[in-house]
mmCIF file of all heavy atoms in Angstrom:
data_model
loop_
_atom_site.group_PDB
_atom_site.id
_atom_site.type_symbol
_atom_site.label_atom_id
_atom_site.label_comp_id
_atom_site.label_asym_id
_atom_site.label_seq_id
_atom_site.Cartn_x
_atom_site.Cartn_y
_atom_site.Cartn_z
ATOM 1 N N MET A 150 -36.110 -2.231 -56.851
ATOM 2 C CA MET A 150 -35.158 -1.540 -55.975
ATOM 3 C C MET A 150 -34.790 -2.644 -54.874
ATOM 4 O O MET A 150 -33.537 -2.794 -54.680
ATOM 5 C CB MET A 150 -35.697 -0.385 -55.357
ATOM 6 C CG MET A 150 -34.724 0.393 -54.445
ATOM 7 S SD MET A 150 -35.463 1.843 -53.745
ATOM 8 C CE MET A 150 -34.119 2.620 -52.966
ATOM 9 N N ALA A 151 -35.608 -3.360 -54.290
ATOM 10 C CA ALA A 151 -35.412 -4.245 -53.225
ATOM 11 C C ALA A 151 -34.561 -5.372 -53.741
ATOM 12 O O ALA A 151 -33.502 -5.789 -53.125
ATOM 13 C CB ALA A 151 -36.702 -4.795 -52.697
ATOM 14 N N GLU A 152 -34.813 -5.873 -54.908
ATOM 15 C CA GLU A 152 -34.112 -6.935 -55.575
ATOM 16 C C GLU A 152 -32.590 -6.492 -55.903
ATOM 17 O O GLU A 152 -31.628 -7.242 -55.519
ATOM 18 C CB GLU A 152 -34.784 -7.523 -56.911
ATOM 19 C CG GLU A 152 -35.913 -8.256 -56.570
ATOM 20 C CD GLU A 152 -36.863 -8.498 -57.860
ATOM 21 O OE1 GLU A 152 -36.444 -8.145 -58.915
ATOM 22 O OE2 GLU A 152 -37.841 -9.252 -57.745
ATOM 23 N N LYS A 153 -32.541 -5.364 -56.400
ATOM 24 C CA LYS A 153 -31.194 -4.846 -56.771
ATOM 25 C C LYS A 153 -30.215 -4.649 -55.551
ATOM 26 O O LYS A 153 -29.094 -4.857 -55.635
ATOM 27 C CB LYS A 153 -31.195 -3.506 -57.585
ATOM 28 C CG LYS A 153 -29.997 -2.950 -58.129
ATOM 29 C CD LYS A 153 -30.119 -1.852 -59.074
ATOM 30 C CE LYS A 153 -28.831 -1.486 -59.691
ATOM 31 N NZ LYS A 153 -28.962 -0.459 -60.766
ATOM 32 N N LEU A 154 -30.873 -4.149 -54.480
ATOM 33 C CA LEU A 154 -30.114 -3.876 -53.273
ATOM 34 C C LEU A 154 -30.157 -5.034 -52.279
ATOM 35 O O LEU A 154 -29.679 -4.751 -51.167
ATOM 36 C CB LEU A 154 -30.704 -2.497 -52.624
ATOM 37 C CG LEU A 154 -30.423 -1.349 -53.427
ATOM 38 C CD1 LEU A 154 -31.145 -0.135 -52.784
ATOM 39 C CD2 LEU A 154 -28.904 -0.944 -53.695
ATOM 40 N N ASP A 155 -30.756 -6.090 -52.579
ATOM 41 C CA ASP A 155 -30.922 -7.281 -51.701
ATOM 42 C C ASP A 155 -31.571 -6.840 -50.351
ATOM 43 O O ASP A 155 -30.929 -7.095 -49.289
ATOM 44 C CB ASP A 155 -29.579 -7.907 -51.461
ATOM 45 C CG ASP A 155 -29.597 -9.265 -50.849
ATOM 46 O OD1 ASP A 155 -30.692 -9.845 -50.840
ATOM 47 O OD2 ASP A 155 -28.585 -9.590 -50.136
ATOM 48 N N ILE A 156 -32.638 -6.272 -50.509
ATOM 49 C CA ILE A 156 -33.438 -5.843 -49.382
ATOM 50 C C ILE A 156 -34.693 -6.619 -49.184
ATOM 51 O O ILE A 156 -35.297 -6.943 -50.038
ATOM 52 C CB ILE A 156 -33.844 -4.319 -49.534
ATOM 53 C CG1 ILE A 156 -32.750 -3.357 -49.674
ATOM 54 C CG2 ILE A 156 -34.878 -3.856 -48.402
ATOM 55 C CD1 ILE A 156 -33.033 -1.931 -49.947
ATOM 56 N N ARG A 157 -34.882 -7.018 -47.930
ATOM 57 C CA ARG A 157 -36.222 -7.769 -47.622
ATOM 58 C C ARG A 157 -37.296 -6.927 -47.915
ATOM 59 O O ARG A 157 -37.388 -5.799 -47.454
ATOM 60 C CB ARG A 157 -36.167 -8.062 -46.036
ATOM 61 C CG ARG A 157 -37.396 -8.831 -45.682
ATOM 62 C CD ARG A 157 -37.396 -9.330 -44.153
ATOM 63 N NE ARG A 157 -37.334 -8.358 -43.218
ATOM 64 C CZ ARG A 157 -38.183 -8.141 -42.269
ATOM 65 N NH1 ARG A 157 -39.273 -9.005 -42.246
ATOM 66 N NH2 ARG A 157 -37.959 -7.257 -41.436
ATOM 67 N N LEU A 158 -38.287 -7.420 -48.688
ATOM 68 C CA LEU A 158 -39.510 -6.646 -49.120
ATOM 69 C C LEU A 158 -40.809 -7.211 -48.493
ATOM 70 O O LEU A 158 -40.917 -8.373 -48.537
ATOM 71 C CB LEU A 158 -39.501 -6.746 -50.642
ATOM 72 C CG LEU A 158 -40.634 -6.107 -51.386
ATOM 73 C CD1 LEU A 158 -40.647 -4.592 -51.196
ATOM 74 C CD2 LEU A 158 -40.704 -6.356 -52.790
ATOM 75 N N ILE A 159 -41.479 -6.315 -47.960
ATOM 76 C CA ILE A 159 -42.690 -6.683 -47.459
ATOM 77 C C ILE A 159 -43.794 -5.970 -48.298
ATOM 78 O O ILE A 159 -43.814 -4.689 -48.514
ATOM 79 C CB ILE A 159 -42.889 -6.142 -46.004
ATOM 80 C CG1 ILE A 159 -41.891 -6.937 -45.097
ATOM 81 C CG2 ILE A 159 -44.351 -6.380 -45.495
ATOM 82 C CD1 ILE A 159 -41.761 -6.215 -43.764
ATOM 83 N N VAL A 160 -44.644 -6.845 -48.869
ATOM 84 C CA VAL A 160 -45.747 -6.300 -49.831
ATOM 85 C C VAL A 160 -47.056 -6.503 -49.136
ATOM 86 O O VAL A 160 -47.479 -7.470 -48.776
ATOM 87 C CB VAL A 160 -45.857 -7.125 -51.106
ATOM 88 C CG1 VAL A 160 -46.852 -6.642 -52.111
ATOM 89 C CG2 VAL A 160 -44.402 -7.063 -51.876
ATOM 90 N N LEU A 161 -47.657 -5.312 -48.988
ATOM 91 C CA LEU A 161 -49.030 -5.217 -48.428
ATOM 92 C C LEU A 161 -50.151 -5.135 -49.462
ATOM 93 O O LEU A 161 -49.887 -4.654 -50.566
ATOM 94 C CB LEU A 161 -49.221 -4.031 -47.441
ATOM 95 C CG LEU A 161 -48.161 -3.884 -46.365
ATOM 96 C CD1 LEU A 161 -48.470 -2.614 -45.483
ATOM 97 C CD2 LEU A 161 -48.295 -5.048 -45.430
ATOM 98 N N ASP A 162 -51.238 -5.881 -49.236
ATOM 99 C CA ASP A 162 -52.368 -5.929 -50.264
ATOM 100 C C ASP A 162 -52.978 -4.548 -50.551
ATOM 101 O O ASP A 162 -53.258 -4.231 -51.579
ATOM 102 C CB ASP A 162 -53.389 -6.972 -49.861
ATOM 103 C CG ASP A 162 -53.012 -8.370 -49.874
ATOM 104 O OD1 ASP A 162 -52.014 -8.721 -50.748
ATOM 105 O OD2 ASP A 162 -53.391 -9.213 -49.120
ATOM 106 N N LYS A 163 -53.028 -3.807 -49.332
ATOM 107 C CA LYS A 163 -53.632 -2.528 -49.353
ATOM 108 C C LYS A 163 -52.764 -1.448 -48.716
ATOM 109 O O LYS A 163 -52.097 -1.834 -47.820
ATOM 110 C CB LYS A 163 -54.980 -2.487 -48.982
ATOM 111 C CG LYS A 163 -56.039 -3.233 -49.687
ATOM 112 C CD LYS A 163 -57.461 -2.830 -49.236
ATOM 113 C CE LYS A 163 -58.485 -3.597 -50.113
ATOM 114 N NZ LYS A 163 -58.494 -3.347 -51.556
ATOM 115 N N GLY A 164 -52.765 -0.208 -49.173
ATOM 116 C CA GLY A 164 -51.960 0.715 -48.533
ATOM 117 C C GLY A 164 -51.755 1.972 -49.470
ATOM 118 O O GLY A 164 -51.371 3.067 -48.932
ATOM 119 N N GLY A 165 -51.963 1.802 -50.809
ATOM 120 C CA GLY A 165 -51.658 2.843 -51.646
ATOM 121 C C GLY A 165 -50.189 3.242 -51.580
ATOM 122 O O GLY A 165 -49.308 2.463 -51.434
ATOM 123 N N HIS A 166 -49.971 4.588 -51.493
ATOM 124 C CA HIS A 166 -48.664 5.235 -51.305
ATOM 125 C C HIS A 166 -48.333 5.417 -49.878
ATOM 126 O O HIS A 166 -47.316 6.137 -49.616
ATOM 127 C CB HIS A 166 -48.534 6.380 -52.216
ATOM 128 C CG HIS A 166 -47.104 6.799 -52.389
ATOM 129 N ND1 HIS A 166 -46.118 5.965 -52.999
ATOM 130 C CD2 HIS A 166 -46.497 7.970 -52.187
ATOM 131 C CE1 HIS A 166 -44.997 6.689 -53.107
ATOM 132 N NE2 HIS A 166 -45.195 7.960 -52.619
#
Side-chain angles (χ1 to χ4, degrees):
M150 182 180 190
E152 287 169 0
K153 186 168 184 177
L154 297 175
D155 191 24
I156 297 177
R157 178 170 67 118
L158 179 64
I159 297 168
V160 179
L161 303 178
D162 290 331
K163 292 198 178 298
H166 196 55

